[in-house]
């Protein structure tokens, strides 16, 4: 499973790379900054190397505004998968390099109309528990220090001027979207009350749903992550005091109690969740889900019905989240994809996905700047003709 997750992630990176074209790439390649001062704090990647981030400074009207984007890339749930991860850029800064800033991180107004001139940061993900673990495994020598990495990087950014931000947005995609949910109120707490602070979770609405064989597969997987990496102590106590800590790693059990304004952006047919939570290889044998899980066009009517049930579950969770706070925002489109703020074609392009003619960058901007309320829930598949679907 771990291996497949990694492949999925690499494909995402490759798509994104090809997308930009070589000219654009050199234009927006951003150097890696390693945080050596994090080492004495024990804020290290799985293999003990220092954590890192990339930054482009803001200018003009954006000079005092900060966008902090948390990198995603799955999780590791046991010694074996964490050891493997520690030999990649998702577990060790030895393998990290420059990165390409595009979509929500782009510095061009025509690609990123509301945030292009802000200070923009991507925080690299090298702990394997959405920046929320705390522990050390003597047997493997692996460090589980996601929470410390979070704190060390935030401290570094505060020292670079984020402490006097007028406006700030914490974002993240996939495991980074979950991290944005988990850390949203911590992020808010860094700033004085007059700073406007909000959070965006893209493709972070991982649901505690049953898989096609009737098991709670993702719940078992998350149980491994939470237990191995000592995550429970960093989850909101108002959740862990009333239910099993593993359940508190699921956004549905914590988003309604986040105090900071939050925006959930998610595809109703999230392809990561279809492939690794609803129809994982372990649950499908050689059965009819083998092709449908990779390409919705190969699903029969009963499989589509199962996916409609999943969408219903997601829209119910989303609706309840929206009702929980007047400052929340929502964009749940009926597409088969995963992560729409990190790709130029889905974030802000001529034919980007939209609901009621409103695209994703515009929706997030309208919500962030109070230009309008944003509560967009798409009609069910196959009504949306604006999707950029991922099929294999
Ligand atoms: C850690 O492992 C070493 C040997 O690998 C052992 O000597 C030591 O007692 C262990 N420490 C703990 C706290 O388990
Ligand atoms: C979502 O589905 C799960 C079963 O997989 C169920 O336990 C839960 O109550 C559902 N939630 C909502 C909000 O419909
Ligand atoms: C929490 O839930 C997980 C997954 O269902 C289970 O394996 C674990 O034993 C539970 N922990 C406790 C303390 O009940
Ligand atoms: C949006 O409105 C809220 C509530 O009135 C206010 O606190 C906040 O400062 C406004 N945000 C922006 C970006 O104007």
């Amino acid at each position: 499973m771990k291996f497949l997750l990694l492949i999925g992630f690499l494909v995402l990176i490759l798509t994104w790379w090809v997308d930009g074209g070589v000219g654009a790439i050199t234009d927006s390649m951003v150097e890696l900054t390693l945080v050596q001062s994090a080492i004495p704090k024990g804020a290290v990647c799985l293999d003990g190397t220092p954590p890192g981030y990339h930054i482009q400074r803001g200018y003009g009207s954006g000079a005092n505004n900060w966008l902090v984007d948390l990198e995603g890339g799955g999780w590791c749930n046991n010694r074996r998968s964490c050891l493997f991860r520690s030999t990649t850029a998702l577990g060790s800064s030895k393998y990290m390099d420059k990165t390409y800033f595009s979509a929500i991180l782009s510095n061009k107004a025509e690609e990123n109309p509301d945030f292009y001139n802000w200070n923009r940061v991507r925080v690299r993900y090298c702990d394997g528990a959405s920046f929320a673990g705390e522990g050390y495994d003597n047997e493997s020598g692996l460090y589980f220090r996601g929470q410390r990495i979070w704190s060390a990087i935030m401290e570094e950014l505060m020292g670079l001027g984020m402490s006097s931000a007028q406006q700030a947005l914490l974002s993240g995609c996939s495991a980074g979207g979950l991290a944005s949910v988990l850390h949203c109120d911590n992020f808010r707490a860094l700033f004085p009350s007059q700073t406007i602070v909000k959070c965006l979770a893209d493709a972070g609405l991982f649901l505690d749903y049953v898989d096609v064989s009737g098991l709670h597969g993702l719940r078992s997987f998350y149980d491994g992550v939470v237990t191995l990496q000592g995550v429970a102590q960093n989850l909101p106590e108002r959740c862990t005091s009333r239910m099993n800590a593993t359940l508190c790693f699921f956004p549905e059990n914590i988003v309604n109690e986040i105090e900071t304004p939050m925006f959930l952006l998610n595809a109703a047919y999230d392809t990561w969740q279809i492939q690794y939570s609803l129809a994982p290889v372990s649950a499908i044998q050689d059965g009819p889900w083998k092709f449908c899980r990779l390409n919705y066009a190969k699903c029969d009517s009963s499989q589509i019905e199962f996916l409609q049930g999943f969408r219903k579950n997601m829209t119910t969770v989303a609706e309840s989240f929206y009702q929980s706070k007047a400052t929340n925002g929502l964009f749940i489109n009926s597409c088969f994809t995963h992560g729409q703020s990190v790709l130029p074609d889905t974030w802000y392009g001529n034919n980007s996905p939209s609901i009621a003619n409103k695209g994703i960058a515009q929706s997030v901007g309208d919500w962030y700047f109070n230009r309008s309320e944003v509560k967009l829930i798409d009609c069910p598949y196959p009504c949306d003709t604006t999707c950029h679907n991922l099929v294999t």
Side-chain angles (χ1 to χ4, degrees):
M1 170 149 169
K2 204 49 252 146
F3 181 68
L4 289 173
L5 298 195
L6 193 75
I7 296 284
F9 188 68
L10 293 179
V11 168
L12 195 68
I13 299 223
L14 191 69
T15 328
W16 175 11
W17 189 80
V18 169
D19 223 278
V22 175
I25 289 172
T26 43
D27 226 5
S28 289
M29 280 307 244
V30 183
E31 293 298 329
L32 173 68
T33 305
L34 291 178
V35 186
Q36 300 293 347
S37 64
I39 295 181
K41 299 174 188 159
V44 292
C45 299
L46 288 172
D47 69 339
T49 52
Y53 66 92
H54 309 262
I55 184 167
Q56 264 184 346
R57 302 307 303 239
Y59 59 92
S61 61
N64 287 320
N65 298 334
W66 288 72
L67 170 72
V68 177
D69 184 76
L70 304 173
E71 186 186 23
W75 307 267
C76 61
N77 65 328
N78 54 39
R79 273 196 193 105
R80 192 173 50 83
S81 62
C82 289
L83 272 172
F84 173 70
R85 197 180 184 87
S86 74
T87 65
T88 73
L90 288 170
S92 166
S93 54
K94 271 195 282 186
Y95 308 97
M96 292 177 189
D97 203 346
K98 307 185 207 0
T99 203
Y100 177 48
F101 271 21
S102 70
I104 196 171
L105 287 171
S106 168
N107 61 358
K108 299 179 188 66
E110 65 273 22
E111 292 173 8
N112 187 24
D114 285 313
F115 307 110
Y116 72 97
N117 63 354
W118 288 32
N119 295 280
R120 284 153 292 109
V121 178
R122 164 153 289 148
V123 183
R124 296 299 292 259
Y125 178 39
C126 65
D127 61 279
S130 286
F131 297 87
E134 172 55 45
Y136 172 70
D137 181 41
N138 198 18
E139 196 174 319
S140 59
L142 289 169
Y143 296 87
F144 302 124
R145 296 289 172 70
Q147 185 73 31
R148 294 194 206 196
I149 292 174
W150 161 265
S151 302
I153 304 258
M154 290 309 124
E155 196 178 319
E156 167 104 353
L157 299 177
M158 293 308 264
L160 291 178
M162 192 167 78
S163 56
S164 51
Q166 283 162 358
Q167 305 184 92
L169 173 61
L170 179 67
S171 71
C173 169
S174 194
L178 174 58
S180 178
V181 168
L182 294 174
H183 288 293
C184 185
D185 284 340
N186 299 336
F187 187 64
R188 159 78 268 179
L190 296 171
F191 301 94
S193 61
Q194 68 270 21
T195 310
I196 296 168
V197 183
K198 303 192 179 190
C199 310
L200 163 67
D202 174 18
L205 194 47
F206 297 96
L207 296 176
D208 184 18
Y209 203 69
V210 286
D211 67 25
V212 297
S213 73
L215 298 174
H216 277 98
L218 189 57
R219 193 192 286 181
S220 311
F221 180 79
Y222 275 178
D223 196 45
V225 178
V226 168
T227 307
L228 177 71
Q229 299 220 29
V231 171
Q233 60 192 292
N234 295 318
L235 295 172
E237 210 199 320
R238 49 185 182 253
C239 181
T240 53
S241 63
R242 64 171 205 266
M243 63 179 89
N244 185 319
T246 295
L247 298 180
C248 300
F249 202 57
F250 283 97
E252 65 204 70
N253 295 319
I254 54 179
V255 279
N256 291 4
E257 282 159 350
I258 293 173
E259 286 164 14
T260 310
M262 174 113 219
F263 192 101
L264 295 181
L265 160 64
N266 222 101
Y269 312 101
D270 183 293
T271 47
W272 188 94
Q273 294 191 65
I274 293 174
Q275 290 169 27
Y276 303 105
S277 172
L278 306 183
V281 172
S282 59
I284 62 163
Q285 314 301 341
D286 230 11
W289 279 93
K290 190 173 168 187
F291 300 105
C292 163
R293 69 191 280 276
L294 301 174
N295 183 350
Y296 65 97
K298 299 191 174 148
C299 303
D300 64 27
S301 60
S302 72
Q303 291 168 327
I304 291 293
E305 202 178 310
F306 182 88
L307 296 175
Q308 299 295 23
F310 177 73
R311 171 186 173 275
K312 189 83 198 58
N313 202 273
M314 185 181 291
T315 56
T316 307
V317 167
E319 182 75 48
S320 146
F321 155 79
Y322 186 80
Q323 299 304 338
S324 70
K325 196 157 25 71
T327 51
N328 284 343
L330 202 56
F331 189 104
I332 307 287
N333 54 347
S334 291
C335 300
F336 290 79
T337 189
H338 180 70
Q340 302 179 95
S341 67
V342 292
L343 299 173
D345 281 357
T346 49
W347 176 244
Y348 190 65
N350 286 336
N351 66 345
S352 285
S354 61
I355 303 177
N357 280 322
K358 200 185 252 204
I360 293 173
Q362 189 195 344
S363 299
V364 172
D366 283 358
W367 158 79
Y368 188 93
F369 297 102
N370 291 344
R371 294 189 297 238
S372 70
E373 287 190 11
V374 182
K375 181 198 184 188
L376 293 167
I377 298 183
D378 217 347
C379 44
Y381 171 80
C383 71
D384 192 331
T385 56
T386 68
C387 292
H388 289 230
N389 292 316
L390 289 180
V391 292
T392 338

